[in-house]
Amino acid sequence: MSGLTGSATGPSDAPRRNVPVWDEGEWRGLPQLQGDVTADVCVVGLGGSGLSALHELLDLGANVVGVDAGLVAGGAAGRNGGLMLAGVAAFHHDAAAELGSERATALYRLTEEAREREIEAGVGGVRRTGSLRIAADDAELADCRAQLARMEADGLAASWYSGPEGEGLLFPHDAVFNPLERCRQLAQRAATRGARLFERSPVRELHGTEVVTDGGRVSCGAVVVAVDGRLDQLLPELADSVRTARLQMLATEPTEALSLERPVYRRYGYEYYQRTPAGRVALGGFRDHGGEDEWTATAEPSAAVQERLERFLRDELKVSARITHRWAASVGFTSGVLPVAATLRGGVRVVGGYNGTGNLVGAVAGRAAARKAMGLDSRAWHLLGGD
Ligand SMILES: Cc1cc2nc3c(=O)[nH]c(=O)nc-3n(C[C@H](O)[C@H](O)[C@H](O)COP(=O)(O)OP(=O)(O)OC[C@H]3O[C@@H](n4cnc5c(N)ncnc54)[C@H](O)[C@@H]3O)c2cc1C
């Protein structure tokens, strides 16, 4: 497929290879960790979850260091669909069936609070648009009805929807944003508030009071690990709890062919798309069409899934605009509806494994881990299953 041979620098007509559509702005970059530093808390992972943890720690008056193996939001946090959906990845009725209504509703409410915090902070061009869950067939319509009934019974905002996108559910308070820009702004704000942040500093060893990278070492009172995909590589003891998968997207040049007021989440969330403020269509999904190959730590787009995305773009969405970006990233899947929230290695607080939907629940988890690292209680930590 010609698109997969495009260059990262994006000549003429070739899609930008493995560069997300969100990467429009300048990023000056952060230093590598060199030598020994001390901190109250070290946060490993500068995606949305780790940056939320950092801000919680700053709110609590901690002296903090943050390190990332690559660049800020170089993982899923800066390469995702940009949908800010309340709840965990599982639909509310499924979460309620596993956790009980009370706990699932409490978790949903926490993600709503996280969304309101994001909208108030105004980072990443966040816009409240609402979101749609559109059913792909009659069986899914029935599932939408079951979800709506559970949400109404639990007092959560949703209504039936029928419109040009199809039929399903409308969640009126959800939002969209540029996820990479959000993280870059959160990192800049954290640095302004006194956090010392380091990029290109992969962690090689860690335990409760020490984090070791190639170039330096952080001695600290506590450690937070906030890593979604490839968490099992950093902490092999979690290999039975979380599994890394690849998710893929593409984006087009600006087009009038698709008019969308709000993002769409379709076929049980396997597909998702939005129209960016610049008029580009950003479309992801079809992980299941890639089969076993998508259970990989490789974060490069593959022909099988990209071809399926392209077919959906052309045949279902009727968009013929040129494809300008194709990209992939890693996320973590757990065996249930909850992510990982664990304490390991003498007090390392670990969060990740959001089952493909982590923008809001990751922020909740990151802040919860930060509170625990400071020796404080956290209702969110307990709701997430943390010890
Ligand atoms: C294509 C795609 C589309 C998605 N769409 C949506 C969506 O629309 N809505 C939604 O809610 N969710 C979506 N998700 C999921 C969401 O992106 C993630 O759950 C979320 O961004 C995870 O953020 P994080 O900060 O927890 O982890 P990550 O983004 O994984 O960040 C962890 C950071 O840790 C760093 N790291 C890893 N190992 C080490 C190490 N050894 N040393 C130092 N640093 C390390 C990584 O470099 C990375 O920067 C999507 C994901 C993908 C891939």
Side-chain angles (χ1 to χ4, degrees):
M1 173 182 248
S2 62
L4 292 177
T5 60
S7 102
T9 49
S12 58
D13 260 11
R16 298 196 70 195
R17 187 168 168 277
N18 219 4
V19 176
V21 70
W22 315 117
D23 197 358
E24 291 171 339
E26 293 286 309
W27 178 243
R28 286 214 313 267
L30 299 167
Q32 265 178 302
L33 178 62
Q34 300 287 353
D36 293 353
V37 298
T38 58
D40 295 332
V41 183
C42 177
V43 175
V44 178
L46 298 178
S49 312
L51 289 161
S52 299
L54 276 164
H55 279 280
E56 181 74 19
L57 291 163
L58 291 165
D59 291 347
L60 294 168
N63 177 320
V64 287
V65 165
V67 296
D68 199 289
L71 302 182
V72 163
R79 308 171 69 79
N80 66 61
L83 279 64
M84 209 175 254
L85 307 175
V88 294
F91 294 127
H92 180 65
H93 60 313
D94 295 325
E98 188 175 314
L99 304 175
S101 269
E102 199 178 322
R103 183 170 174 195
T105 304
L107 266 174
Y108 197 97
R109 294 268 185 228
L110 287 176
T111 59
E112 289 186 318
E113 285 167 27
R115 180 193 61 215
E116 296 312 307
R117 190 196 287 265
E118 296 283 340
I119 290 173
E120 200 182 324
V123 287
V126 61
R127 294 175 291 138
R128 192 196 302 283
T129 52
S131 72
L132 296 174
R133 175 188 174 188
I134 295 297
D137 56 26
D138 287 347
E140 193 175 357
L141 276 175
D143 194 59
C144 287
R145 283 190 199 96
Q147 181 180 354
L148 182 60
R150 186 69 265 153
M151 291 185 76
E152 284 177 346
D154 292 338
L156 301 174
S159 59
W160 196 257
Y161 177 85
S162 183
E165 302 86 350
E167 198 167 1
L169 300 179
L170 166 65
F171 309 99
H173 304 311
D174 282 343
V176 288
F177 68 127
N178 176 327
L180 180 59
E181 198 51 37
R182 168 206 180 206
C183 289
R184 287 176 171 174
Q185 288 175 356
L186 286 178
Q188 273 159 352
R189 289 185 187 188
T192 305
R193 297 178 72 195
R196 286 164 290 156
L197 306 182
F198 301 96
E199 293 182 323
R200 294 167 288 112
S201 304
V203 171
R204 303 298 181 197
E205 286 172 41
L206 82 165
H207 61 79
T209 55
E210 190 177 58
V211 171
V212 180
T213 70
D214 289 341
R217 177 184 308 263
V218 186
S219 302
C220 48
V223 178
V224 170
V225 171
V227 173
D228 189 5
R230 297 190 239 185
L231 180 57
D232 43 340
Q233 288 185 355
L234 177 61
L235 296 167
E237 60 267 54
L238 288 174
D240 289 341
S241 316
V242 63
R243 194 177 178 198
T244 295
R246 170 171 60 189
L247 301 184
Q248 302 192 40
M249 296 193 67
L250 57 71
T252 69
E253 64 188 349
T255 173
E256 297 297 323
L258 186 68
S259 108
L260 277 181
E261 271 181 55
R262 45 183 86 81
V264 174
Y265 204 57
R266 188 185 164 277
R267 194 171 67 88
Y268 297 92
Y270 274 109
E271 281 75 66
Y272 38 91
Y273 47 97
Q274 67 154 300
R275 192 163 180 269
T276 72
R280 297 174 182 274
V281 178
L283 164 68
F286 294 105
R287 175 176 66 90
D288 54 332
H289 286 240
E292 277 299 305
D293 285 355
E294 300 311 295
W295 292 109
T296 175
T298 304
E300 291 278 328
S302 74
V305 171
Q306 289 291 326
E307 278 165 10
R308 194 64 195 78
L309 282 168
E310 186 166 347
R311 203 160 1 121
F312 183 80
L313 178 78
R314 306 298 187 214
D315 298 349
E316 304 289 331
L317 300 183
K318 310 286 183 208
V319 172
S320 58
R322 187 171 64 87
I323 293 170
T324 51
H325 297 74
R326 298 181 188 272
W327 72 97
S330 300
V331 294
F333 280 82
T334 63
S335 56
V337 304
L338 290 175
V340 172
T343 307
L344 301 174
R345 299 191 187 186
V348 178
R349 306 291 177 172
V350 184
V351 290
Y354 303 110
N355 298 314
T357 303
N359 284 327
L360 288 178
V361 73
V364 170
R367 285 186 179 269
R371 288 186 64 81
K372 294 299 288 183
M374 291 294 283
L376 300 170
D377 198 16
S378 164
R379 179 168 162 265
W381 182 258
H382 295 298
L383 286 169
L384 289 166
D387 36 89

